[in-house]
Amino acid sequence: MSDAMPDFSKGACYLNGTYVPMSEAKIPVGDWGFVHSDVTYDVVHVKDGAFFRLEDHLDRFERSLKGFRLTPPVTRDQMREILGRCVALSGLKDAFVAMVSTRGVPRVYGSRKPMDCDNTFIAYAAPWVDVIPPAVQERGAHLLVASVPRISPKSLNPTYKNYCWRDFVQGLWEANDKGFDTAVLIDQDGYLTEGSGFNVFVVKGNQVLTPDRGALEGVTRRSVLDLCPELGLEGKIVPVTLQDLMEADEVFTSTTAGGVMPCARVNDHIMNNDRPGPISVALKELYWKKQAEGWHMTPVNYADPDHPFAKAA
């Protein structure tokens, strides 16, 4: 039997108390996270060897766990160390890092009682990915307002991160069929919500507006609102109508996996000569500049994966 170190270069995963390459990570088919989408998760990014707003992501993960009544078998401090170790083992300097808790497999076969399951904790670090590819961001994404409405918050609280994406996936198919890059969803009352894994912003004059309903409370969204005053902009969380979206000076999206991502079209509404707008570009540049300067960054100690946040000698 080989004693060679596993190859974590394409991603490292913590699963059932052990660390394995991403290609070897598996969950049982009977896990309610798979069969019922009874799961929550969060995603934090690593840029140039440091986590961005790690504690904010752990805060949100804790809120989602509480909201879905999940109790993973690790503490917050242990989660932090596990996430760091996944990154250090992988050696990835730019990474997409997830923390996941599933309901688990019922101890009693066939049980329909959530309390009969042992909840899990899974973490992994994978190579960086952009929700909207860089080349598309460069020319400005083309958004479709999908015909399918956002699932009601009365059925599923959108501030708890989840994998219940049936509405988003239908929107993505519609966008693909009609030649758009991605889709955003409107709720049943005609208000803008979000897209598949990203928040949406509407720019009107010096106001930068993002929906107050039907959307995840994004960490990148919060970062954009934090940065607006530095550029003399007024960032607000408010009701945003479909009309507001279609009359916007600029539109951009935001997410952990991509940052600030400018758009150029929404349906047949073309903005800024079909290019990213100046405010969107300025916020994108400032967002990455601040991270390069260490804003909300937590460096990883790659030299010692067992102590991923210890200062290197």
Side-chain angles (χ1 to χ4, degrees):
M1 189 173 193
S2 173
D3 293 327
M5 181 72 173
D7 181 6
F8 293 114
S9 62
K10 294 182 180 179
C13 179
Y14 171 89
L15 186 68
N16 298 324
T18 61
Y19 294 86
V20 297
M22 278 287 290
S23 60
E24 298 177 17
K26 300 174 178 64
I27 65 169
V29 294
D31 191 313
W32 279 26
F34 172 68
V35 297
H36 300 315
S37 197
D38 192 359
V39 56
T40 192
Y41 74 108
D42 214 288
V43 177
V44 55
H45 79 242
V46 167
K47 180 68 173 173
D48 296 328
F51 281 93
F52 179 61
R53 301 193 85 144
L54 176 57
E55 297 307 316
D56 292 320
H57 283 279
L58 286 167
D59 286 344
R60 189 173 65 183
F61 187 52
E62 286 190 337
R63 290 194 297 272
S64 296
L65 289 169
K66 183 177 180 181
F68 288 130
R69 299 180 68 171
L70 287 159
T71 307
V74 292
T75 66
R76 177 179 173 129
D77 287 343
Q78 289 172 324
M79 291 178 192
R80 184 187 301 106
E81 293 298 308
I82 291 167
L83 294 168
R85 190 174 187 202
C86 284
V87 174
L89 285 171
S90 74
L92 296 167
K93 296 302 191 294
D94 298 321
F96 172 100
V97 188
M99 57 201 91
V100 181
S101 181
T102 70
R103 185 68 59 193
V105 178
R107 294 182 299 277
V108 180
Y109 179 75
S111 173
R112 289 297 184 267
K113 296 180 179 180
M115 65 286 294
D116 285 340
C117 301
D118 293 318
N119 305 162
T120 70
F121 179 73
I122 302 165
Y124 60 87
W128 176 270
V129 60
D130 287 276
V131 166
I132 297 176
V136 175
Q137 295 182 42
E138 186 68 24
R139 63 120 156 105
H142 299 168
L143 305 185
L144 175 75
V145 179
S147 60
V148 60
R150 183 75 173 102
I151 190 170
S152 171
K154 294 179 181 179
S155 299
L156 180 64
N157 188 331
T159 67
Y160 303 150
K161 205 162 173 64
N162 62 84
Y163 288 139
C164 299
W165 271 34
R166 270 332 213 170
D167 48 357
F168 290 138
V169 172
Q170 289 182 70
L172 289 170
W173 273 114
E174 185 179 1
N176 179 77
D177 292 344
K178 294 180 178 179
F180 288 81
D181 298 311
T182 189
V184 294
L185 273 59
I186 304 296
D187 70 13
Q188 295 184 10
D189 296 319
Y191 289 93
L192 179 63
T193 62
E194 60 183 347
S196 54
F198 57 82
N199 291 114
V200 187
F201 284 84
V202 168
V203 179
K204 198 71 176 176
N206 76 329
Q207 293 192 323
V208 179
L209 312 176
T210 193
D212 67 346
R213 65 197 66 194
L216 184 72
E217 295 173 345
V219 173
T220 310
R221 181 184 77 157
R222 183 192 308 180
S223 300
V224 170
L225 295 171
D226 289 346
L227 293 174
C228 279
E230 294 193 28
L231 296 174
L233 302 169
E234 186 179 10
K236 292 182 177 181
I237 301 173
V238 296
V240 179
T241 66
L242 175 58
Q243 183 176 354
D244 294 330
L245 178 64
M246 298 307 299
E247 294 177 352
D249 298 335
E250 300 180 34
V251 171
F252 64 88
T253 68
S254 69
T255 182
T256 291
V260 177
M261 302 177 293
C263 305
R265 301 182 187 182
V266 180
N267 289 358
D268 60 358
H269 175 44
I270 298 175
M271 300 161 287
N272 300 288
N273 294 317
D274 211 13
R275 300 294 299 172
I279 288 176
S280 303
V281 171
L283 282 166
K284 177 178 181 176
E285 291 175 349
L286 181 60
Y287 174 78
W288 292 116
K289 177 176 180 289
K290 295 282 283 189
Q291 288 190 43
E293 294 170 348
W295 187 55
H296 293 300
M297 305 301 282
T298 305
V300 176
N301 176 24
Y302 291 85
D304 185 1
D306 290 332
H307 302 91
F309 297 115
K311 291 183 179 179

